[in-house]
Amino acid sequence: MTTKNLISITELSTQEIEELIACAQDIIAEPDKYADKCRRKKLATLFFEPSTRTRLSFEAAMLELGGSVLGFSEAASSSASKGESVSDTAITVSCYADIIAMRHPKEGAPLVAGLSAGVPVINAGDGGHNHPTQTLTDLLTIFREKGRLGNLKIGCCGDLKFGRTVHSLVEACARYEGNSFVLISPEELRVPDNIKTNVLERSGIDYIETDNWDALPELDILYMTRVQRERFFNEADYLRLKDEFILTADRLENAKSDLSILHPLPRVNEIEKAVDNDPRACYFKQALNGKYIRMALILKLLGVD
Ligand code: CP
């Protein structure tokens, strides 16, 4: 890969994304082939913000490649709590690990880490900014479910303002021909203008913004998101908006029979539990795909054949 670090999905060419997907598919088909690829390699997971899927799937990925993991899961148990900078942390951890996955509440922190670290740094989510490995997970899931990444009508629903996964997914899917977007959210939680202008409009992608479910029957993909309580300045606004879009089993009656429902998770209440039994629900398969695509990414960034 041309990049040493992965901070944003924009750093990957379409060809590199497709190579990662192909590698993940091969890992899924023949896991034994990869069981020893990272023997004696160490992954450090530096998580300054909570996570279940991203941290544990990174760790599972490295363990399944035959490597080892070390790290911390909260800032309080690192020397950041004593005032150590992100840069110094990255330089120090480079002494102990071959690759770093970092989540941080501050936008740009993994970029800063990547500039100082002596080993590859992967952005595992920085504030409301980027979450490139989630996007790779989403793309792998879409590819496995639909057999293609283009010619899809993609609905994104929920918190499209703070939901970093939506921003990166829009950026990635805008590269493929024939995709269009239906952006379903309360007015206050719409996709930021810079993404509409710099990504959708610049790429000539069709999209509509709406505050209702009317387009659900036309969708090939429905990408649900939770309202991101931790990014609100005002609790009253969160409480007012959090229940505006809840996907129920009843609502799905008019959706396509081959709709794929994705969600980066964690879910709060925006998808009714009954939907989990619907064959169109893909979000737990998506969580599993996250491990395979991270295995592929670790291999590529470490230059393991
Ligand atoms: N999708 C995702 O980033 O989940 P976690 O916050 O649990 O890592």
Side-chain angles (χ1 to χ4, degrees):
M1 279 174 45
T2 51
T3 174
K4 169 197 154 223
N5 305 312
L6 181 61
I7 306 301
S8 159
I9 197 74
T10 56
E11 293 164 336
L12 296 179
S13 67
T14 305
Q15 184 184 336
E16 286 172 327
I17 289 175
E18 288 169 5
E19 283 169 7
L20 287 169
I21 290 174
C23 179
Q25 293 269 67
D26 197 53
I27 293 168
I28 293 167
E30 294 189 80
D32 290 351
K33 223 168 77 181
Y34 294 87
D36 219 22
K37 290 277 185 193
C38 285
R39 199 165 65 87
R40 304 179 87 85
K41 300 282 186 196
K42 285 171 278 181
L43 164 76
T45 49
L46 312 185
F47 276 59
F48 296 84
E49 211 183 35
S51 166
T52 296
R53 274 147 296 274
T54 310
R55 185 171 67 83
L56 296 181
S57 65
F58 261 118
E59 295 186 355
M62 190 49 139
L63 293 172
E64 290 197 19
L65 291 167
S68 315
V69 296
L70 64 162
F72 51 82
S73 57
E74 53 177 3
S77 61
S78 79
S79 286
S81 62
K82 302 176 210 162
E84 185 166 55
S85 68
V86 164
S87 172
D88 283 0
T89 302
I91 294 168
T92 305
V93 174
S94 302
C95 302
Y96 312 136
D98 301 284
I99 187 164
I100 294 171
M102 175 184 281
R103 172 170 288 189
H104 203 288
K106 285 203 180 134
E107 298 185 2
L111 173 67
V112 170
L115 293 173
S116 315
V119 300
V121 173
I122 303 169
N123 181 1
D126 59 334
H129 195 214
N130 274 306
H131 193 354
T133 60
Q134 182 63 50
T135 310
L136 291 170
T137 300
D138 300 341
L139 293 173
L140 174 62
T141 304
I142 292 171
F143 188 76
R144 285 179 65 76
E145 296 302 318
K146 311 304 282 186
R148 65 186 192 278
L149 292 172
N151 295 312
L152 296 165
K153 190 158 203 166
I154 302 166
C156 299
C157 178
D159 183 350
L160 309 186
K161 178 180 180 184
F162 296 116
R164 57 194 170 196
T165 61
V166 168
H167 306 165
S168 302
L169 183 68
V170 166
E171 206 291 324
C173 289
R175 302 173 186 211
Y176 290 92
E177 266 191 39
N179 285 336
S180 60
F181 289 91
V182 179
L183 305 172
I184 307 164
S185 72
E187 188 161 350
E188 291 101 315
L189 296 180
R190 285 188 171 175
V191 167
D193 285 343
N194 71 308
I195 291 172
K196 283 183 263 180
T197 311
N198 296 332
V199 180
L200 291 169
E201 285 157 25
R202 189 169 289 173
S203 311
I205 299 287
D206 279 344
Y207 74 95
I208 58 164
E209 293 184 291
T210 174
D211 61 1
N212 62 58
W213 291 99
D214 291 356
L216 181 58
E218 300 158 25
L219 299 179
D220 301 301
I221 304 286
L222 174 60
Y223 193 89
M224 293 295 298
T225 61
R226 86 189 152 92
V227 176
Q228 305 238 329
R229 180 180 209 152
E230 66 276 28
R231 316 240 181 256
F232 275 75
F233 290 113
N234 179 336
E235 179 75 0
D237 284 346
Y238 167 73
L239 293 173
R240 183 169 53 80
L241 296 170
K242 74 182 176 66
D243 296 332
E244 290 243 334
F245 288 94
I246 296 179
L247 184 65
T248 60
D250 288 350
R251 203 176 284 291
L252 283 167
E253 275 173 17
N254 294 328
K256 284 186 179 176
S257 59
D258 65 346
L259 172 73
S260 297
I261 305 164
L262 278 67
H263 189 313
L265 304 178
R267 154 177 63 184
V268 182
N269 65 340
E270 59 281 355
I271 300 180
E272 189 183 65
K273 189 91 180 108
V275 175
D276 297 0
N277 301 323
D278 190 306
R280 293 169 288 187
C282 298
Y283 29 90
F284 290 114
K285 283 193 266 182
Q286 189 181 355
L288 176 60
N289 289 335
K291 179 183 71 175
Y292 296 119
I293 200 76
R294 290 180 175 106
M295 289 171 79
L297 180 64
I298 290 168
L299 290 171
K300 296 287 178 193
L301 288 176
L302 287 178
V304 176
D305 187 9

